[in-house]
Amino acid sequence: FSVPLAEGFHALTHLFAPAWEDTIDAIKATVSEEIWENNVKGIYFSQEDVITSGYTKFDYDQPENDFNNPIVKAMRAVSNKAHSYGKNMLWIPYYHEAAPSSTNLGYVVNLTNIFDTVIIQPSFFFNPARVDEIGIIADSIRQQAVVDINRKVIGGKKTSNTVIGFEMEIDSQFFDREGYPERYYAYENGFGEFVGTYPTAYYSGAPETMLKLTDLISKFLNKNG
């Protein structure tokens, strides 16, 4: 289950945290005890980056105070609530080598235990200029620490227990647009060694696209098994 977005209110994101904590309680109260215990594995934080424009500062020297960032403070509150029920916290941010938000991503993942699992989006399928992101993410998985464009661990050293995985990206353009199959297969080549070892997610754009791609996806996910 996911908590809602606070898009457009980044500087006030921490004020949404109590409502998001209530969301977790509402989910628990709505589903049966059996489903809650056996089927609800965790909570997904749906915002895909940590913005630092405007009033959303990010103090790299203050990891113990959630970097003085309202988004990270909200992440922490939701995480504490999820963990109080023994549930995992999942985040699926995007990596963009030129964006400050990717540095912030590295600090959050490497220096805090807010998230149990982080699956990183390359975005290359939708933007061929981001071809380097596949390699950066692959190195992050190998080191189990988010690295920068020079393959250095962001924040200097990873102190968290967060597990890092990868997102495969594909949509209906795979079938009818030149260049898109090659972009998808770049994901398979870049991440294939991690299948079955590290967390994997698929973004397909629409359910019907995922159904059409079942054989392709199954072949990739079963390559090591």
Side-chain angles (χ1 to χ4, degrees):
F1 287 96
S2 169
V3 295
L5 279 170
E7 201 66 42
F9 294 92
H10 301 300
L12 303 176
T13 304
H14 60 295
L15 301 180
F16 289 80
W20 293 344
E21 294 176 69
D22 290 344
T23 298
I24 298 174
D25 284 330
I27 293 168
K28 184 176 186 296
T30 300
V31 302
S32 69
E33 183 177 352
E34 180 180 6
I35 289 175
W36 176 257
E37 294 297 333
N38 299 320
N39 299 92
V40 179
K41 300 302 182 184
I43 302 299
Y44 169 53
F45 197 86
S46 55
Q47 183 163 331
E48 297 179 350
D49 54 11
V50 177
I51 299 295
T52 52
S53 59
Y55 296 99
T56 51
K57 62 183 178 180
F58 194 103
D59 187 344
Y60 297 120
D61 296 324
Q62 294 289 324
E64 73 284 352
N65 193 35
D66 298 324
F67 308 101
N68 288 317
N69 182 272
I71 298 172
V72 182
K73 290 181 183 298
M75 290 173 165
R76 173 79 68 183
V78 175
S79 175
N80 288 344
K81 185 70 170 184
H83 287 155
S84 75
Y85 287 130
K87 303 302 181 182
N88 287 352
M89 274 292 290
L90 169 67
W91 191 28
I92 309 182
Y94 65 83
Y95 194 107
H96 181 358
E97 63 175 276
S101 58
S102 295
T103 301
N104 301 340
L105 153 65
Y107 273 89
V108 171
V109 173
N110 293 341
L111 300 184
T112 81
N113 281 308
I114 292 174
F115 296 101
D116 300 285
T117 304
V118 169
I119 295 174
I120 307 178
Q121 307 176 39
S123 302
F124 170 63
F125 184 82
F126 307 104
N127 186 345
R130 296 188 182 179
V131 65
D132 291 339
E133 272 73 354
I134 293 177
I136 294 171
I137 294 168
D139 278 344
S140 297
I141 297 168
R142 291 187 189 99
Q143 297 190 47
Q144 281 299 290
V146 180
V147 300
D148 62 21
I149 189 172
N150 298 311
R151 308 309 199 261
K152 302 295 184 181
V153 175
I154 295 173
K157 179 182 178 181
K158 188 184 182 207
T159 59
S160 76
N161 299 316
T162 306
V163 178
I164 300 170
F166 61 95
E167 181 169 86
M168 302 288 289
E169 296 169 322
I170 193 170
D171 67 11
S172 60
Q173 296 174 100
F174 175 85
F175 300 106
D176 54 22
R177 294 197 64 183
E178 184 178 354
Y180 281 80
E182 289 76 15
R183 293 187 203 177
Y184 170 75
Y185 289 122
Y187 284 62
E188 289 199 345
N189 293 332
F191 297 137
E193 67 186 273
F194 308 120
V195 174
T197 303
Y198 294 105
T200 309
Y202 259 89
Y203 174 85
S204 65
E208 55 269 24
T209 304
M210 181 67 81
L211 291 174
K212 291 172 68 175
L213 292 165
T214 298
D215 290 343
L216 181 73
I217 294 169
S218 295
K219 182 179 179 180
F220 175 68
L221 294 179
N222 292 319
K223 66 174 295 179
N224 296 330

